[in-house]
Amino acid sequence: MTVNARSGLPKDRPAAPAPPPPPGWRRWLVPVGVLITLVLLFLPGMGRGPAQVDYGDLAQQVAAKQVDTLRLTADGTITGTYASSFDGGEDFVSHYPTGLQGVDDTFLSQVRDPSVVPHFQATGATGSWLGTLLALLPFLLFLGFFLYIGRAARKGMAGGLGGIPGVGRSKAKVIDAVRPDTTFADVAGYEGVKRDVTEVVDFLRHAEKYAAAGAVAPRGVLMAGPPGTGKTLLARAVAGEAEVPFFSMTGSGFVEMFVGVGAARVRDLFAEARKRAPAIIFIDEIDAIGQRRGSGMASNDEREQTLNQLLAEMDGFDPATGIVVMAATNRPETLDAALLRPGRFDRQVTVPLPTQPERRAILAVHAAGKHLAADVDLDTAARATPGFSGADLANLMNEAAIVAVRDDRTQLTAADLSQARDRIILGQRQGANFLLESEKRNVAVHESGHALVAALSPAADPVDRVTILPSGMALGVTEQMPEEERHLYSEEQMLASLAVRLGGRGAELVVFGEGSTGASNDLASATGLATRMVREFGLSPALGPVGYSSDSPQYLGGEQVTSRAYSEETQRVIDTEVARLVREAETTAVELLRSHRPALEALTRQLLEHETVTGAVVHAIAAGSTADGATRAPVSA
């Protein structure tokens, strides 16, 4: 459907007066320059040059008084003229031998004798005027370049850079005649986000429908969210769905080393969009030019000029009617307030990490074209990947395919997905002989402690898998898979999570009587959770129902500066309560494992024998029965 883009719009601005014609002498610059270049190149070689004479022959000719004029320079060059009675008085050139041992006193005494050589001259090394000109050529080129820049600046050409080809022009990629193949069908989930974006496209395509209701078109749509959530993919889908021109550019593409280039490119971008209005402009990573002005110690004039020009183009004295600006950023908190006010980016769309159903849909999209085995369950894979973005899920399927190819298979199995997930989260798996036998038993005891505390705690997430195969920096892993994706956690669930994190150290204390360095990450994780429980969630009786936001470090002149909104006494209370929670969690884990010592030994033997056991085996051992008909025994805290 074709839309009349200019119905109801303000009249076009009057055309600017034509620039004065260039002076007539300018047309002769190029021919004269070419002519001078040819003369400099070929003039030295024109005509017959002086005769080349061997030094030995020249010495004999001097002794025979056949030389009239001779010039000897410091670099060993000998030039001169023969006597008119010898060889017609022609010029010659020779060279004093550099490999000569000592000084040729006979030759020098002869050339200094006026009766032998009437005209003799000894001078320093000299160069030709052509060599001097070539030596000055780089300086002349730089001088000409800056004179050209100054000339352009006096004419007001984009801060002195409009005349340089491509510098003041916008680098926006116009997606018009050939649109991307990406559509909203390729964007799984995010129905609310797609609805907000689709309304903008629909407004441009059916402006009269909204005008009848008195609705005003939004000037801009800002998509914000973590990296990899599909913001750029949504923009490409808009380009595939819309029937209007689509201009795409990154924020860093506006800014170069020359001041004024960014503002010139913004003007050029909006000028091109007005010619094709209605149109969509998409700016990826807009925080490159849209950060708060004056937020740092040193200002960036180029970036601020670019931002000011963007603000004026979006909502200034010359509004860009019929133009919708879409932008994407991972850091909306850093953007300037003037950019986020109504009239600029009217609509802000949050693109969060996908939920479990959305992860299932995204995995299905990326599984298209791949051969999945019968044991692959995308619902299970979606439950096992909380916190994964769309890009992470795409990488997961690709890594699983790589694992299958490595084993000379074309079919992806559930084990391939599990190994790919470990590769993304933990890193590359180490070799089988990475650990000593004593270290392997220590890791088995440690991971058994994590798994059993989780299986014996009703509020903890079920155990999915336990392995003692080292991957990345982890010597072993206990994986828990929540039955449902939670967004709220109770105090009981967080206390159970603390006990599970201290379960590895508790098992070491029960079996070996001492801890090890393997619990360092567990202690840091438990301390972080306990700190948030006390400081943010109000779960400490000593501190009371107060909440302080997390300390976010700020950087001033390269130095990290951390500020907090409470006193030293409050910090002392927080430290005391955090230590109490961690100690109580360790006590809970140790008591559970001591009361179930046979189960701890049994699970340790299973890990040493098989290296990896499933959650069903863990729960069966914890319940004191086999995997068939396993029931969880009640545990008293």
Side-chain angles (χ1 to χ4, degrees), residues 24 380 448 538:
T380 302
S448 297

Side-chain angles (χ1 to χ4, degrees), residues 445-455 463 478 480 499-505 507 518 522 593:
V445 170
H446 184 98
E447 298 304 327
S448 297
H450 284 305
L452 277 180
V453 173
V463 179
T478 298
Q480 296 174 263
V500 172
R501 299 178 197 214
L502 272 298
R505 175 180 167 84
D522 299 332
L593 295 173

Side-chain angles (χ1 to χ4, degrees), residues 183-255:
T183 62
F184 285 136
D186 300 317
V187 183
Y190 296 117
E191 297 303 326
V193 176
K194 288 190 288 188
R195 182 173 58 251
D196 289 340
V197 174
T198 305
E199 286 180 358
V200 176
V201 179
D202 186 62
F203 193 102
L204 293 174
R205 295 171 58 183
H206 307 94
E208 66 283 351
K209 179 174 64 175
Y210 291 87
V216 179
R219 295 292 179 84
V221 177
L222 178 65
M223 295 183 293
T229 51
K231 298 181 293 294
T232 306
L233 179 65
L234 281 168
R236 288 205 302 267
V238 171
E241 296 280 352
E243 296 180 2
V244 296
F246 188 89
F247 295 77
S248 176
M249 192 169 181
T250 61
S252 59
F254 288 102
V255 183

Side-chain angles (χ1 to χ4, degrees), residues 22 73 83 166 189 193 204 257 268 332 379 407 456 553 632:
T73 60
V193 176
L204 293 174
M257 63 178 292
D268 184 69
D379 290 320
D407 295 338
L456 296 171
R632 178 174 300 197

